[in-house]
Amino acid sequence: SVLSQAGDFRIEYIIMDGGSTDNSVEVIKKYDLLLKDGRWPVKCLGVTYSWVSEKDKGQADAVNKGFRSASGEILGWLNSDDTYIPGAFKKVADYLKAHEDVGMVYGEGYHIKDTGEVIERYPTEPFDRERFAETCFICQPTVFLRREVLDKAGYLDEKLHYCMDYEYWMRVVKACGVGYLPDHLANTRFYAGTKTMSGRLEVCTEAIEVLRKHYGYVPGTWLFALARYRVEKIFGKRRKGLVFNLLWAVFFIIKFVRVNGRFPFAELKGLGARGGERAGDN
């Protein structure tokens, strides 16, 4: 999905593999050979292809290594499960050329199954800072940055394991203009094995710390989700009934008071929404 992008630009494709023991390196070498032999139909002005397979300190470390070795004017990163939609790079390049005040742009995306079948539209929204505290509505693989954003906002926080992208967007919006492109740019794979799906309790816990740091408070959506996953972990996902729901509500209220220092009267409205459960879909 990267090599098939077409337009009047050059692609610098840098693959950071964390020392995989499956067939990842063989797949990487396959495309390297196809490009070198001229058997891959390049549809842009040229492709520079490089790769590293070595132990890293985690996802954020790998992305930062890629950013530091890149020389292009526009940067993005794609996790191994995700794909770009044809035409994405051209749309992004055209948008940033027309909006010189924007340092970061994101677009629409789809959730897809491990088989590649589309499940649903990713619940993307035009940017609003206060709303962004309630839920991460930015689909990570649809994000592209101008190179100078790295100088202004820095790199991903390598201490974070689940919300490194969510936290990074919070820093970027303080440093530069953010644009929203209402076109589908990428697909993010959504199944039980992804970090976000398999570690929802951990996602919520890390997001809460990130929000306290950058916003100074935590919206009820995140605390409500944390309460749900904590109670489900103790009593099981299928436990229903009044006692289960009361414990869920009590845990939420206690956590909210501890974090925000006030009782959540206003926050008790509309908490059944999906907000607060997403942070990057890694």
Side-chain angles (χ1 to χ4, degrees):
S1 71
V2 176
L3 297 175
S4 298
Q5 296 292 317
D8 55 347
F9 47 75
R10 295 184 178 275
I11 295 175
E12 184 180 32
Y13 193 7
I14 302 168
I15 301 175
M16 307 302 298
D17 175 67
S20 298
T21 56
D22 56 12
N23 67 333
S24 294
V25 172
E26 285 69 25
V27 173
I28 293 169
K29 289 180 177 178
K30 168 189 169 183
Y31 286 97
D32 194 3
L33 185 62
L34 288 172
L35 284 165
K36 287 178 179 177
D37 289 350
R39 289 182 286 149
W40 185 267
V42 175
K43 301 176 183 177
C44 62
L45 299 179
V47 176
T48 302
Y49 187 91
S50 61
W51 59 277
V52 174
S53 182
E54 62 184 16
K55 185 70 175 176
D56 56 46
K57 294 181 289 186
Q59 183 182 359
D61 176 47
V63 174
N64 286 342
K65 284 181 179 179
F67 279 167
R68 288 190 175 97
S69 60
S71 62
E73 298 175 16
I74 302 171
L75 307 175
W77 87 85
L78 193 70
N79 295 319
S80 58
D81 277 337
D82 304 334
T83 59
Y84 288 120
I85 292 173
F89 286 14
K90 185 178 188 308
K91 290 177 181 178
V92 169
D94 290 345
Y95 181 92
L96 289 175
K97 185 176 181 180
H99 299 81
E100 296 183 357
D101 58 325
V102 170
M104 167 181 141
V105 63
Y106 67 97
E108 292 282 331
Y110 291 110
H111 275 137
I112 60 174
K113 297 180 180 180
D114 53 354
T115 59
E117 180 184 350
V118 172
I119 302 171
E120 61 186 354
R121 167 188 171 268
Y122 190 98
T124 304
E125 302 175 18
F127 193 79
D128 178 90
R129 186 176 182 275
E130 295 306 311
R131 172 63 178 158
F132 194 54
E134 297 176 359
T135 180
C136 182
F137 51 71
I138 294 179
C139 181
Q140 178 272 312
T142 73
V143 172
F144 292 85
L145 311 162
R146 295 189 193 273
R147 164 160 292 282
E148 55 264 32
V149 171
L150 297 178
D151 297 325
K152 297 177 180 178
Y155 292 75
L156 272 66
D157 186 341
E158 296 177 11
K159 297 188 297 294
L160 298 176
H161 184 59
Y162 295 93
C163 301
M164 73 289 290
D165 47 1
Y166 192 31
E167 189 272 343
Y168 191 58
W169 312 149
M170 294 179 193
R171 279 190 279 139
V172 171
V173 299
K174 296 176 183 178
C176 67
V178 174
Y180 162 63
L181 181 58
D183 290 322
H184 283 87
L185 304 178
N187 303 306
T188 181
R189 229 167 282 267
F190 196 65
Y191 61 96
T194 60
K195 284 199 302 185
T196 304
M197 288 293 288
S198 61
R200 286 186 166 186
L201 182 59
E202 291 80 4
V203 169
C204 290
T205 302
E206 192 169 275
I208 285 169
E209 294 307 312
V210 165
L211 286 159
R212 291 178 71 174
K213 175 182 176 181
H214 289 283
Y215 282 81
Y217 71 95
V218 180
T221 47
W222 283 103
L223 295 169
F224 195 67
L226 177 69
R228 186 175 82 183
Y229 297 136
R230 182 67 59 81
V231 173
E232 285 180 351
K233 186 172 183 178
I234 296 171
F235 295 95
K237 286 187 177 182
R238 304 196 177 194
R239 293 292 292 271
K240 302 294 180 183
L242 180 61
V243 174
F244 180 89
N245 291 328
L246 282 174
L247 287 170
W248 182 352
V250 168
F251 185 88
F252 160 66
I253 292 170
I254 292 173
K255 191 69 177 178
F256 192 97
V257 172
R258 285 182 177 177
V259 171
N260 292 319
R262 57 187 176 85
F263 196 78
F265 287 109
E267 299 282 350
L268 291 173
K269 299 179 181 179
L271 286 174
R274 293 181 58 187
E277 298 183 24
R278 297 185 305 276
D281 285 339
N282 297 311

